[in-house]
Amino acid sequence: MRLLFIALITLASIQLTAQSTWYEVESGVSVHLNCVSFPVSGIGYIGGDSLVLLKTMDSGATWMLVDLSGLELPNPEIRPVVDVHFTDPFQGMIALGNYSGFYFTEDGGETWTSVDPNNSGFCQTQTIDQVDFGLGTTTFLGGGGCFQGGIISKGNFSEYTSTTLPETFDTDDRINAFAFESDEIGIAVSSTGRILRTTDTGETWEEVEHDFTDVHFTDVEYVGANEYKATSKWEGEGFFGILQSLDNGLTWQDDWELATFYYPKMEAVHMN
């Protein structure tokens, strides 16, 4: 059974699901929590502000801190774990936000290695996605440049190349999320409202035109049957909502069933 989860807000405590019921458990930390990854049933990771990475071995009932002091980053209190993605209980990656980089582990977070996205201008490290439709795992790193907009690098855990995006020099533009429906076709969304689409396994990306203005995309997911959903907020207006595409990402419209009147706040969407 496939379940679609829409995250409304991110809290310092954690909510779990048992069938259709959600309840709260203690995280053991008081920082803002940003991202979650469960590579297998029972084992999961959560990233938060101030270089916080949590791990569970019992399906989220209890959580422990993963020691990231070995990264030896100055001022850890200002470095959030903005994304975490594990492919199995041992191999995974984290993104640490602006000017802090991507890191890779092969031992469940005991040790970490810095990842070179092969782009010297990759300053705003924002998101990670890994795709495997039977042809091997491909990793995508998203974010933004020091003096330009969104950047996407593609590769495996250790070697990457830059991909081709429509050029923008808006330094507020960064890639916030990816979703792939196959090895070839995928969508990326950005902080300034850009929707990018690839049909060649992420080598090149084309911008998809839409009618929404002043929109900030927070996440995107492929939910099957040619349908994508993207969570968003409108800058300066306090409105939030969910957009959907029913034609493989070519056109987009409001999803009024899930987000009537752009309410409540939508931060993430996940297909399990």
Side-chain angles (χ1 to χ4, degrees):
M1 179 174 64
R2 305 182 81 195
L3 301 176
L4 176 65
F5 297 96
I6 305 293
L8 306 183
I9 53 177
T10 307
L11 302 174
S13 58
I14 305 155
Q15 293 180 322
L16 305 176
T17 182
Q19 296 179 347
S20 60
T21 302
W22 294 79
Y23 61 96
E24 194 170 308
V25 300
E26 290 298 323
S27 67
V29 297
S30 58
V31 300
H32 189 96
L33 301 179
N34 304 312
C35 50
V36 60
S37 176
F38 271 80
V40 295
S41 178
I43 299 177
Y45 298 83
I46 288 177
D49 287 355
S50 302
L51 212 59
V52 163
L53 183 65
L54 301 175
K55 181 176 182 178
T56 181
M57 303 286 286
D58 55 11
S59 300
T62 60
W63 295 84
M64 66 191 83
L65 274 171
V66 176
D67 184 6
L68 296 181
S69 61
L71 300 182
E72 298 182 346
L73 293 170
N75 304 314
E77 69 279 358
I78 64 170
R79 301 183 190 277
V81 179
V82 294
D83 201 10
V84 56
H85 193 99
F86 275 73
T87 55
D88 61 41
F90 304 102
Q91 290 195 109
M93 297 181 68
I94 54 175
L96 298 186
N98 295 352
Y99 304 97
S100 298
F102 297 97
Y103 293 84
F104 168 61
T105 182
E106 296 182 283
D107 54 17
E110 293 292 326
T111 60
W112 296 86
T113 302
S114 178
V115 173
D116 180 5
N118 197 24
N119 188 317
S120 60
F122 208 140
C123 295
Q124 302 179 71
T125 49
Q126 189 69 26
T127 188
I128 305 159
D129 195 20
Q130 290 169 315
V131 180
D132 188 351
F133 289 92
L135 300 177
T137 300
T138 301
T139 302
F140 291 90
L141 308 177
C146 304
F147 303 103
Q148 65 184 90
I151 291 177
I152 298 173
S153 287
K154 171 190 173 182
N156 54 37
F157 284 117
S158 59
E159 296 182 2
Y160 293 87
T161 58
S162 293
T163 65
T164 302
L165 282 67
E167 191 172 63
T168 174
F169 291 98
D170 184 350
T171 56
D172 290 328
D173 183 74
R174 61 186 180 274
I175 303 301
N176 276 347
F178 301 100
F180 282 80
E181 60 184 88
S182 69
D183 274 318
E184 295 81 17
I185 301 175
I187 294 291
V189 294
S190 88
S191 57
T192 59
R194 292 204 298 165
I195 299 174
L196 305 175
R197 186 173 187 265
T198 181
T199 58
D200 60 3
T201 321
E203 293 292 335
T204 60
W205 300 78
E206 299 294 334
E207 191 161 352
V208 177
E209 294 184 4
H210 59 78
D211 296 329
F212 302 96
T213 59
D214 300 320
V215 66
H216 170 110
F217 286 111
T218 54
D219 203 2
V220 63
E221 184 68 281
Y222 180 69
V223 300
N226 306 323
E227 182 178 0
Y228 287 89
K229 292 187 185 294
T231 52
S232 59
K233 63 182 180 180
W234 273 259
E235 297 291 349
E237 298 180 29
F239 291 149
F240 303 87
I242 299 178
L243 305 184
Q244 65 176 348
S245 171
L246 302 176
D247 55 7
N248 306 93
L250 293 172
T251 61
W252 293 80
Q253 58 273 336
D254 286 295
D255 186 338
W256 293 110
E257 292 184 3
L258 290 177
T260 302
F261 303 116
Y262 310 107
Y263 173 89
K265 184 177 181 180
M266 300 294 180
E267 291 280 18
V269 55
H270 178 63
M271 175 65 75
N272 182 38

